[in-house]
C-alpha cells in the first residue's frame, strides 16, 4: 500500500512473553448457589463436558513444567467435584501452592481434614453479606449463611489462615462496618472487600449492583478507619479494599498484560488468558486438542492482544500503554462491541461516556435484589438459546 503521508507512532518492542505462573482450574460450572454477580459465562449451561481427573492431571503437569507455581481450584463450586481431594494431592505432588476458592456450600469437617491430608495450602470462603437474610437471598439458599459461618470456623480450627471474600455492591456496601465486624468475630486473617467488577452475570445485573460514588467513598473511609483500629489493637487481620473499575479514570493492567501471567482452564478444557475472555469473538484453544506449551506461546487466542501492535488510538500514542496495556479487553468488548478498543474506563477513551452514564444511572437506580437475573441453569439456557 502506498504511503499516504500519515505516520504511526513508533512502538516499543513487544515484551517477552511471561510464564503462566498462576493456573486457575475452573473445575466445573455446577454450583448450588445462584449469585447474580457470578463471573461465569452467561451461557455456562451450554458448555461442553467437564475434563476428567486424568485430563486435569495432564493439564497440571504441563503447566508445572512451564513454570506455574500456584493453582486455584475454582468453579462454579469446586466442591461438587468428587475427585477434588485427588486433584489437590496431585497438585501438591507436582509442587504447586494450592488454593481452594469456595462458597463453603458442600464443605464438611471430614472434607477439610481430607484436603489437609492431601496437601491443600489455602482455603478462601466467600460470603454474600453480613446479614443472613440478604446473604441467603443473594445466594438463593436459606441455609447458605449458617453453613458458611460453620465452615469458616472449621477452616480456622484446622489450622488454615482465615481468608474471607465479600463481593460488595449497592445492596450490602452500606453495611461495610458490619461485614468487617463479622470478619473480626470470625478471627479472619485476610479479608477481601471486593466491590463488584462487571463481568458475566454482574454485567447483566449492573443496574442493580453498581454502588454510587458516595456509597463507595463512605465504605472506603470506614475500611480505612478499621485498618487504623486493627493496627492500634495489634490485630493482624488485613483488609483489602477493591474499587470497581467504573469509578477509576485509568484502566487496570488487566492480568498484568494479556497472556503474560495468568492461565485459566475452563471446565470443558478451553484455555483462556483470563476467566472472562470466553465471551470474546476469539477462537481459543482447548487442552483436549493442544498441549499447553503450544497454547501459551503459539495459539492465536493467546497472542491476539500481546504487545502493542494491535492497539488503535488513543492507546497507540499513549505514554501509559506500557503500564496498563490498554486496559481490559473483555470490558472493551462488553461496552463497545470491539475488544480492540481502548478500555472505556480510561478518561482518554472516546467511549468513556459509557462509564459516566453508568455512574449517573447508579444515582437513581432502584432495582431490588429479587428483580435481578439470577445465575442458574434455567436462566443460562434461556440466554444460550438467544
Amino acid at each position: 500500500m502506498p504511503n499516504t503521508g500519515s505516520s504511526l507512532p513508533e512502538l516499543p518492542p513487544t515484551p517477552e512473553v511471561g510464564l503462566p505462573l498462576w493456573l486457575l482450574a475452573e473445575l466445573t460450572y455446577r454450583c448450588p448457589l445462584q449469585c447474580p454477580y457470578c463471573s461465569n459465562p452467561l451461557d455456562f449451561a451450554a458448555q461442553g463436558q467437564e475434563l476428567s481427573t486424568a485430563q486435569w492431571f495432564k493439564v497440571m503437569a504441563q503447566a508445572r513444567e512451564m513454570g506455574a507455581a500456584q493453582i486455584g481450584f475454582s468453579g462454579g463450586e469446586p466442591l461438587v467435584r468428587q475427585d477434588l481431594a485427588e486433584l489437590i494431592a496431585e497438585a501438591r505432588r507436582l509442587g504447586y501452592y494450592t488454593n481452594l476458592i469456595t462458597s463453603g456450600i458442600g464443605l464438611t469437617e471430614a472434607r477439610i481434614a481430607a484436603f489437609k491430608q492431601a496437601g491443600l495450602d489455602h482455603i478462601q470462603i466467600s460470603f454474600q453479606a453480613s446479614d443472613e437474610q440478604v446473604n441467603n437471598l443473594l445466594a438463593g439458599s436459606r441455609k447458605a449463611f449458617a453453613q458458611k459461618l460453620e465452615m469458616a470456623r472449621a477452616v480456622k480450627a484446622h489450622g488454615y489462615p482465615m481468608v474471607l471474600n465479600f463481593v460488595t455492591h449497592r445492596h450490602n456496601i452500606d453495611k461495610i462496618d458490619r461485614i468487617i465486624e463479622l470478619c473480626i468475630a470470625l478471627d479472619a486473617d485476610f479479608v477481601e472487600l471486593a466491590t463488584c467488577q462487571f463481568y458475566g452475570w454482574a454485567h447483566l445485573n449492573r443496574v442493580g449492583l453498581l454502588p454510587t460514588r458516595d456509597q463507595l467513598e463512605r465504605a472506603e473511609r470506614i475500611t480505612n478507619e478499621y485498618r487504623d483500629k486493627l493496627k492500634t489493637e495489634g490485630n493482624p487481620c488485613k483488609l483489602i479494599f477493591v474499587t470497581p473499575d467504573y469509578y477509576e479514570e485509568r484502566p487496570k493492567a488487566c492480568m498484568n498484560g494479556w497472556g503474560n501471567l495468568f492461565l485459566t482452564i475452563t471446565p470443558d478444557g478451553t484455555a483462556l488468558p483470563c476467566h472472562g475472555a470466553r465471551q470474546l469473538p476469539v477462537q481459543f484453544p482447548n487442552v483436549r486438542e493442544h498441549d499447553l506449551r503450544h497454547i501459551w506461546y503459539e495459539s492465536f487466542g493467546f497472542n491476539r492482544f500481546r504487545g502493542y501492535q494491535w492497539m488503535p488510538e488513543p492507546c497507540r500514542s499513549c505514554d501509559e500503554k506500557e503500564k496498563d496495556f490498554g486496559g481490559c479487553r473483555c470490558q472493551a468488548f462488553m461496552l463497545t462491541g470491539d475488544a480492540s478498543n481502548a478500555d472505556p474506563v480510561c478518561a482518554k477513551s472516546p467511549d468513556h461516556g459509557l462509564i459516566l452514564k453508568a455512574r449517573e444511572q447508579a444515582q437513581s437506580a432502584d432495582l431490588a435484589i429479587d428483580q435481578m437475573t439470577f445465575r442458574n441453569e434455567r436462566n443460562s439456557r434461556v440466554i444460550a438459546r438467544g
Side-chain angles (χ1 to χ4, degrees):
M1 180 178 292
N3 191 327
T4 59
S6 62
S7 60
L8 294 173
E10 184 176 346
L11 293 171
T14 298
E16 183 178 348
V17 176
L19 298 176
L21 296 177
W22 217 110
L23 172 63
L24 180 65
E26 291 187 329
L27 301 179
T28 181
Y29 285 140
R30 291 175 286 158
C31 185
L33 304 184
Q34 56 176 5
C35 307
Y37 47 74
C38 181
S39 62
N40 285 167
L42 298 176
D43 63 348
F44 70 84
Q47 302 301 332
Q49 185 178 5
E50 293 176 8
L51 295 178
S52 66
T53 307
Q55 288 170 322
W56 276 116
F57 280 9
K58 184 177 179 181
V59 166
M60 291 191 293
Q62 290 182 0
R64 188 77 183 101
E65 289 173 3
M66 294 172 62
Q70 183 165 312
I71 186 169
F73 294 108
S74 179
E77 175 47 68
L79 291 169
V80 305
R81 290 278 302 220
Q82 297 307 303
D83 60 354
L84 183 54
E86 294 177 66
L87 295 172
I88 292 168
E90 178 64 7
R92 166 49 69 92
R93 186 189 71 80
L94 290 167
Y96 282 100
Y97 182 89
T98 53
N99 302 265
L100 175 61
I101 304 164
T102 176
S103 67
I105 307 303
L107 198 58
T108 63
E109 289 265 8
R111 294 193 82 180
I112 295 172
F115 297 155
K116 188 82 171 180
Q117 184 175 9
L120 183 64
D121 293 299
H122 175 114
I123 300 176
Q124 175 185 292
I125 295 181
S126 64
F127 279 77
Q128 280 69 31
S130 59
D131 173 87
E132 182 170 13
Q133 181 179 2
V134 174
N135 186 101
N136 293 348
L137 184 58
L138 284 163
S141 168
R142 296 178 181 177
K143 300 178 180 179
F145 188 71
Q147 169 72 5
K148 288 170 182 288
L149 287 179
E150 182 181 355
M151 288 302 103
R153 295 185 179 108
V155 165
K156 185 78 173 184
H158 279 265
Y160 284 102
M162 172 68 71
V163 183
L164 301 179
N165 172 268
F166 282 80
V167 176
T168 59
H169 44 78
R170 69 182 300 113
H171 292 289
N172 66 7
I173 199 168
D174 290 332
K175 303 291 180 63
I176 197 80
D177 52 344
R178 297 186 188 180
I179 289 173
I180 296 172
E181 288 289 352
L182 174 62
C183 295
I184 294 171
L186 289 171
D187 199 18
D189 296 284
F190 297 92
V191 179
E192 185 177 29
L193 304 166
T195 315
C196 204
Q197 303 292 347
F198 294 94
Y199 302 92
W201 295 81
H203 184 254
L204 183 67
N205 291 302
R206 190 184 71 195
V207 172
L209 293 170
L210 182 65
T212 65
R213 184 181 290 278
D214 287 345
Q215 284 182 301
L216 188 67
E217 290 177 349
R218 176 182 176 274
E220 189 164 16
R221 174 179 55 78
I222 290 173
T223 301
N224 286 332
E225 290 170 358
Y226 269 96
R227 284 172 175 156
D228 292 340
K229 179 182 178 183
L230 291 168
K231 184 177 180 181
T232 299
E233 295 173 351
N235 190 319
C237 179
K238 304 296 183 186
L239 303 178
I240 303 166
F241 189 90
V242 182
T243 303
D245 290 358
Y246 278 53
Y247 286 102
E248 300 286 359
E249 297 302 317
R250 288 290 183 272
K252 61 179 178 285
C254 193
M255 300 301 165
N256 200 42
W258 182 272
N260 185 58
L261 176 70
F262 195 83
L263 171 62
T264 295
I265 307 297
T266 69
D268 69 358
T270 301
L272 303 172
C274 75
H275 61 272
R278 193 163 198 160
Q279 67 187 303
L280 300 181
V282 175
Q283 186 67 41
F284 289 103
N286 193 290
V287 298
R288 300 177 196 265
E289 301 162 1
H290 303 281
D291 65 71
L292 282 186
R293 186 167 294 277
H294 166 82
I295 287 170
W296 185 257
Y297 290 106
E298 300 176 30
S299 70
F300 172 79
F302 276 75
N303 283 291
R304 176 63 181 88
F305 296 110
R306 278 177 173 150
Y308 312 103
Q309 293 292 336
W310 62 270
M311 289 182 175
E313 296 294 356
C315 296
R316 195 175 186 93
S317 299
C318 181
D319 59 5
E320 297 180 53
K321 62 178 172 289
E322 293 179 69
K323 181 171 65 176
D324 61 33
F325 311 107
C328 177
R329 299 302 89 222
C330 298
Q331 202 151 249
F333 176 72
M334 285 186 298
L335 293 173
T336 75
D338 187 343
S340 297
N341 285 338
D343 186 338
V345 163
C346 185
K348 297 181 180 182
S349 166
D351 298 303
H352 188 59
L354 297 170
I355 297 295
L356 300 180
K357 183 178 180 180
R359 295 176 191 172
E360 291 175 6
Q361 288 176 332
Q363 291 296 127
S364 57
D366 188 24
L367 194 67
I369 292 174
D370 59 6
Q371 292 178 295
M372 290 189 280
T373 303
F374 284 83
R375 180 253 193 237
N376 55 48
E377 190 162 334
R378 183 192 63 186
N379 287 336
S380 179
R381 292 193 182 282
V382 170
I383 291 169
R385 290 197 297 268

